[in-house]
Amino acid sequence: MVSPLRAHTLPPAWRFALIGAIASLPAIDVLNWLPNSEGTIGGGIMIIGAFVAGVIAAIRSSDPSAAGLRAGFIGGVLGLLIFIVAAGTTATWSLRRVVFVVFAGGLVVCVAPLFGLGFGRVGGWVANTVGSRWTTNVDAS
């Protein structure tokens, strides 16, 4: 009997980034309960989501930097979209303001993946370090 073909439409790095982004949402919500917390969804995905994506990628023998980079991109784009929607409902849009939002938005979309890359690497390092210590202790027993 022929097994059904399992087709993944997304590459592994994008899958891990999306999983990390979704998994970080409860942690972002809990962090926003803290006093004086000004955390945003985009920033939380850039940091926590990229970390989780890096951990998952390292466990699955994939590149944690690539997964973190993509999670950072997702966080940056989502944060920018939330800002534009929130500002669009309350602000008056002059030409200067539009130029500033376009420039700042481009900067955010360029810098956010770098944060994701860094936190993805940290997540991969943590997964590899903890995993190697755990397997070493099990083997020594």
Side-chain angles (χ1 to χ4, degrees), residues 56-115:
I56 295 169
I59 290 171
R60 296 288 192 152
S61 300
S62 186
D63 185 16
S65 299
L69 181 95
R70 285 157 178 82
F73 178 75
I74 291 169
V77 169
L78 187 62
L80 184 63
L81 288 175
I82 290 171
F83 170 76
I84 289 173
V85 168
T89 59
T90 60
T92 57
W93 291 93
S94 65
L95 180 60
R96 286 183 185 174
R97 196 166 281 175
V98 170
V99 169
F100 173 75
V101 168
V102 168
F103 177 74
L107 188 64
V108 165
V109 171
C110 290
V111 172
L114 298 177
F115 279 98

Side-chain angles (χ1 to χ4, degrees), residues 6-75:
R6 286 185 56 191
H8 293 286
T9 57
L10 290 174
W14 279 106
R15 270 192 323 227
F16 301 146
L18 286 173
I19 292 169
I22 292 169
S24 68
L25 294 177
I28 296 166
D29 192 36
V30 168
L31 288 175
N32 278 330
W33 288 348
L34 296 174
N36 298 325
S37 175
E38 294 293 329
T40 62
I41 293 173
I45 291 174
M46 264 192 303
I47 295 170
I48 300 169
F51 180 84
V52 171
V55 168
I56 295 169
I59 290 171
R60 296 288 192 152
S61 300
S62 186
D63 185 16
S65 299
L69 181 95
R70 285 157 178 82
F73 178 75
I74 291 169

Side-chain angles (χ1 to χ4, degrees), residues 128-141:
N128 288 330
T129 303
V130 171
S132 67
R133 288 183 183 179
W134 187 73
T135 55
T136 304
N137 290 339
V138 170
D139 295 338
S141 301

